[in-house]
Amino acid sequence: MLVGMLTTLLLLQAAAQVAPIPAKAPSEIVAAAPASDWVDIAPDDLLVMQLAPDRDGNARKVVIQLMPPPFSQPWIANIRTLAKAHWWDGTAVTRVQDNYVAQWGDPTEKKPLPAGMRPTRQADYVVNSSNPQMEHWADRFVQQIERAAQDRTKLPFLPIRDSYAEQATVVNGFPVAGNKNELWPVHCYGMVGVGRNLSPDAGSGAELYTVIGHAPRHLDRNIALVGRVVEGIENLSSLPRGTGPLGVYEKPEQRVPIVSIRLASELPTEEQPHFQYLSTESASFAAYADARANRKDAFFILPAGGADICNIPVPVRRKP
Amino acid sequence: MLVGMLTTLLLLQAAAQVAPIPAKAPSEIVAAAPASDWVDIAPDDLLVMQLAPDRDGNARKVVIQLMPPPFSQPWIANIRTLAKAHWWDGTAVTRVQDNYVAQWGDPTEKKPLPAGMRPTRQADYVVNSSNPQMEHWADRFVQQIERAAQDRTKLPFLPIRDSYAEQATVVNGFPVAGNKNELWPVHCYGMVGVGRNLSPDAGSGAELYTVIGHAPRHLDRNIALVGRVVEGIENLSSLPRGTGPLGVYEKPEQRVPIVSIRLASELPTEEQPHFQYLSTESASFAAYADARANRKDAFFILPAGGADICNIPVPVRRKP
């Protein structure tokens, strides 16, 4: 029996030398995640942006998931107010800067805002102990840091070494960075933020942008982040770049008209899109993050042994 | 006198409280760099790719700087051979995957390669002590690490904390990561790499791609990098995304034809473009890198206190 096992082991080793079985790719781990690891995104947390059709008549839709508490709640309340007022209908994508952002809003900058808009302030770029919901997330974050300090090798690949903060991780479906005392969401590809004028203006939420290049993490804690594009980002990222300063479209006719922006919850039931994200607290996500940081699937020779937070995008799918 | 100085200081302080003078933006530091801090890029290190005009008849040109020794030299030799043989004329951009890469080459994958192509091997993805030119760059890198360890506060912001390697920095005009024993170029936005089949294939250099999204650093040391786009990347990054697996264009007519790819040195003198990069060994670059990591210009409230290597792109300009 022992010899048999040994022989089997030797055979397995020999086989491994000939043709090692590649580890699962991150996409395979996601595809194999059980239904219970997927979290429904509430229709009130989804924005559906309809752009004018392209020149070939193809429809262009972009779907955005708004960030859950405790992050950026004053701006997110304003965004729901703006959507319910149909405020963005007839506005436009006004700026597309290569390797940076695509931005949309009112080109005249004079359209009156709807009633009920909340004041916003810089202090809310960051969540700290003054926020009643901080305790839960800070505890999770501190636990992650402490476990990692104890024995990195036994743990899933989170939190991670970051070039901008003490640590970075993913909580409640969104990438964040910070330390034991404060947390803030981070500017990864596809994240949606709030345009503003010079400080102390913190932006209302009427002027929005999404990241279409390498993560501009220098904007973290300098601008409010409110969500991320979960479908159709190619309708923004592949737009022609503006030729004015900061990628602004120089001619009005170059702007891309916005037909409408609606909360999914305000759409007729049959038009409501249904999305899910892979729970960032699930075992599937931990395995996925680890595989992103240590690619061992067939194409790869040498796993990186690490990843930056923006190279571990949270998987999102249409609800099956 | 002392009182006068003190009064002046107090006045300056008071003025500072009222209206702090913003620090220079990275772009202002680059604009102020003396001519001596700019390095001419040799015409033999520039590839000029002419795509077919867009549907409005606008010309589309992309200029690529090939990487200097000691990195990826077998592939770069092949690329010069391919360009001199006009091998890419009539090939096409075949794949554009959002937040990843745009790739070009022979769609048939059957076009014979020109004579004189060199063999390539995985071992050359990384430069180590087996490379005669390693010593110089390793020395510089080790010196940077040691100086930073001694007193980070007194030094320009390099090398930097990296999520993928012990350290990252910029040498000889290109971003690299590594440790005391080996260095490798890294996959930042706009970097150009060599498509390959499954290992041990290391690619010839005939199939190329450029990064059009967040830095896919997991590809470092798994693929050869050969240069970066220095002008016209928007002609690749704003192309429609392919709808096939991995962003491949599903219909031949969706491909973007490549009219020609030439070394600048092979073009008629009057057509040769002239570019310069900001010497990564200059004081201007150190100040620029520091400003990228610690934005204090007017828009910013809180400097990040760090940056990842791909968020410090090496400035390149047309030679004035």
Side-chain angles (χ1 to χ4, degrees), chain A residues 55-56 98-99 161-164 166 189 196 214-215 218 222 233 237-238 299 301-302 306-308 311, chain B residues 55-56 98-99 161-164 166 189 196 214-215 218 222 233 237-238 299-302 306-308 311:
Chain A
R55 60 198 288 187
D56 295 320
D98 195 68
N99 190 21
R161 181 173 150 100
D162 189 49
S163 301
Y164 297 83
E166 198 177 300
Y189 191 91
R196 65 164 171 84
H214 186 71
H218 51 288
N222 283 286
I233 192 160
S237 59
S238 69
F299 186 81
I301 306 159
L302 197 60
D308 66 279
N311 204 5
Chain B
R55 58 198 286 186
D56 295 320
D98 195 68
N99 190 22
R161 181 173 151 99
D162 189 49
S163 300
Y164 297 83
E166 196 177 302
Y189 191 90
R196 65 163 169 85
H214 185 71
H218 51 289
N222 283 287
I233 191 159
S237 60
S238 69
F299 186 81
F300 289 83
I301 306 159
L302 197 61
D308 66 279
N311 204 5

Side-chain angles (χ1 to χ4, degrees), chain A residues 39-165:
Chain A
V39 181
D40 289 350
I41 300 174
D44 210 39
D45 286 341
L46 286 174
L47 275 186
V48 180
M49 172 160 65
Q50 195 78 52
L51 301 174
D54 70 16
R55 60 198 288 187
D56 295 320
N58 299 307
R60 291 188 283 191
K61 193 189 281 186
V62 180
V63 184
I64 293 163
Q65 178 191 5
L66 298 173
M67 217 177 285
F71 302 106
S72 306
Q73 294 304 296
W75 295 274
I76 289 166
N78 285 345
I79 287 168
R80 291 200 182 97
T81 300
L82 289 155
K84 287 177 186 173
H86 300 187
W87 187 85
W88 281 293
D89 299 14
T91 64
V93 180
T94 55
R95 170 193 180 200
V96 181
Q97 185 172 1
D98 195 68
N99 190 21
Y100 205 47
V101 298
Q103 187 162 336
W104 60 94
D106 168 32
T108 70
E109 298 188 25
K110 286 176 184 166
K111 190 170 180 176
L113 295 176
M117 295 287 283
R118 290 169 60 171
T120 60
R121 53 183 197 140
Q122 296 175 10
D124 289 328
Y125 295 158
V126 167
V127 173
N128 59 28
S129 55
S130 71
N131 186 307
Q133 296 189 61
M134 173 66 182
E135 198 176 341
H136 171 64
W137 296 113
D139 276 356
R140 275 187 49 82
F141 197 59
V142 170
Q143 281 166 18
Q144 284 188 345
I145 293 173
E146 287 175 352
R147 279 185 309 176
Q150 280 164 23
D151 188 353
R152 188 90 193 193
T153 59
K154 286 188 186 166
L155 291 161
F157 178 70
L158 287 167
I160 68 175
R161 181 173 150 100
D162 189 49
S163 301
Y164 297 83

